[in-house]
Amino acid sequence: MTDISFQDRAAGALMGAFIGDALGLGPHWYYDLDDMRADFGPWISGYTDPKPGRYHAGMKAGQLSQAGIISEMLLRSVVERDGYDEADFCRRLDEELFPLLDGTPMNGPGGYTSQSIRHAWKRRVKEGAPWGQTAGHADTTEAAERALVLAIRYAHEPRRLAETVSSNCLLTQADEAIVAMTTAYCCILGALVAGEPLDSQLSDKLMAQVKSGELPFHAVTSDRLKAPPPGAEPSRAGTFASPDALLSVSYMAEAAADPGIRIEPAWKVSIVYGMPCAIYHQLPAAYYLAARFSDDFESAVLHAINGGGQNQARAMLTGALAGAQTGLGGIPARFVDGLEHGPELMELAQRLGAAAAS
């Protein structure tokens, strides 16, 4: 990773997320893997059209789902405003997305509207609630899928990264544990963009940022999770209850590197950690795949897709982590070429990387 420039890692992370999202469009939410294989063959290797009657039906291979569309909205806002401007992002949701929704799942740009966005739409459009009173209790990765833009933009500023990600998450998801896991994922992604390896030592480096006050997680233990000094009780003001969400990644990385622990083929990670949408199923699988295929973007995202279930989110989150490690140059050209508006997204990704590097 030391041979890859910061800008290349930043652009790779963002394009990796968009590619992962688009790869999931066709085979999204097949919980019966025999059905998925019957519709798409034994191995999905690229973009596919959704089948009639399925999620995203009528869309075409290489297009973004609504998760990707919202991520692009945040990306444009951050690039055009030269940083995170929450009021501007909320205005875009109000003006560009919400008028196209009707509050039902199988509707809206991208062919499907997620639970947290439906709830925010109801609060804003039907009930007239102000932003800040729009979050629901969805336990999914929807905030992480868009806030990864902020992880890339503030990869050199851990405190600012955590602040903006948690604030953005709270627009649509209110559960503190979900906000903590979303923020932790973005802190991990930011560390990879900044050049840290995804290995068994990464969590120790993140915990050092907790101890220094750069990351807003409450920690009682001393170094390397040892017992605290007698009488110690650090303040919890403004922090998440536990740093455990920062510790998960190194356990997954250790499992991926341990010859005594094998998940074969790697797509079966979805069975080990679970196929459903909840963030506690999704993040371990993404961490595992990104660690196992740290220098192989294609294998990382395709194993994420071929595991079925909520494979779109799994591939989007994995794609960002994998792209941050390989850089843009490590992403096969066919994935960029087949992505709708690929050149335009590439330009935005490079502009975001340049802004983050300055």
Side-chain angles (χ1 to χ4, degrees):
M1 290 182 70
T2 56
D3 297 329
I4 304 171
S5 72
F6 175 88
Q7 226 171 308
D8 199 44
R9 290 194 300 270
L14 192 55
M15 292 304 293
F18 285 133
I19 289 165
D21 177 72
L23 283 169
L25 195 74
H28 196 194
W29 276 320
Y30 280 80
Y31 285 92
D32 186 323
L33 294 178
D34 289 338
D35 286 348
M36 188 175 79
R37 308 284 191 250
D39 280 353
F40 296 101
W43 183 252
I44 300 165
S45 60
Y47 302 120
T48 55
D49 292 336
K51 300 298 182 182
R54 294 289 309 180
Y55 296 98
H56 317 289
M59 296 188 68
K60 299 298 181 184
Q63 292 182 323
L64 297 177
S65 78
Q66 193 173 114
I69 291 167
I70 295 172
S71 297
E72 183 182 350
M73 290 173 66
L74 180 55
L75 170 62
R76 289 183 182 279
S77 176
V78 170
V79 168
E80 292 170 14
R81 303 292 294 177
D82 193 25
Y84 182 49
D85 181 336
E86 192 157 282
D88 181 72
F89 175 61
C90 291
R91 177 191 61 78
R92 291 169 190 254
L93 291 175
D94 284 334
E95 296 177 1
E96 299 173 18
L97 178 65
F98 285 179
L100 306 178
L101 308 183
D102 65 4
T104 63
M106 299 292 286
N107 172 265
Y112 184 86
T113 299
S114 64
Q115 178 184 347
S116 68
I117 297 300
R118 296 197 309 270
H119 181 86
W121 176 88
K122 178 184 177 184
R123 293 288 290 142
R124 285 290 289 157
V125 176
K126 291 296 186 182
E127 300 173 10
W131 285 107
Q133 298 179 25
T134 47
H137 293 282
D139 62 357
T140 50
T141 60
E142 289 146 20
E145 293 158 21
R146 63 176 185 266
L148 60 85
V149 171
L150 302 174
I152 297 165
R153 175 61 180 83
Y154 296 112
H156 281 323
E157 304 174 64
R159 185 190 299 273
R160 181 68 173 142
L161 186 162
E163 290 172 349
T164 56
V165 167
S166 58
S167 182
N168 185 269
C169 182
L170 284 165
L171 295 174
T172 57
Q173 291 173 266
D175 188 294
E176 181 179 332
I178 303 306
V179 182
M181 285 186 273
T182 298
T183 304
Y185 169 83
C186 288
C187 290
I188 290 159
L189 176 59
L192 299 188
V193 172
E196 296 289 351
L198 202 173
D199 59 17
S200 61
Q201 304 304 309
L202 180 56
S203 291
D204 288 341
K205 296 171 184 176
L206 294 169
M207 285 299 294
Q209 293 179 334
V210 172
K211 298 293 187 181
S212 70
E214 289 184 276
L215 295 182
F217 291 82
H218 176 63
V220 174
T221 56
S222 58
D223 291 343
R224 301 187 67 80
L225 305 183
K226 294 180 181 179
E233 179 55 38
S235 171
R236 272 212 57 212
T239 65
F240 295 116
S242 164
D244 287 6
L246 296 170
L247 302 178
S248 302
V249 62
S250 283
Y251 287 110
M252 278 81 222
E254 190 173 347
D258 188 338
I261 302 173
R262 304 306 297 168
I263 300 175
E264 295 296 349
W267 63 259
K268 288 189 176 182
V269 70
S270 67
I271 298 174
V272 173
Y273 292 118
M275 290 186 181
C277 305
I279 195 168
Y280 40 81
H281 293 297
Q282 292 291 312
L283 293 188
Y287 295 150
Y288 176 87
L289 291 172
R292 177 163 170 176
F293 300 109
S294 60
D295 60 353
D296 184 352
F297 176 86
E298 179 169 349
S299 291
V301 294
L302 293 185
H303 278 283
I305 287 296
N306 281 277
Q310 174 48 307
N311 52 1
Q312 188 168 61
R314 190 184 308 123
M316 191 175 190
L317 299 175
T318 301
L321 297 170
Q325 295 177 94
T326 67
L328 190 58
I331 297 177
R334 67 186 181 89
F335 289 128
V336 178
D337 294 342
L339 189 63
E340 185 174 73
H341 308 306
E344 187 176 356
L345 292 173
M346 178 85 77
E347 180 188 0
L348 287 166
Q350 290 170 332
R351 287 176 64 187
L352 183 71
S358 62

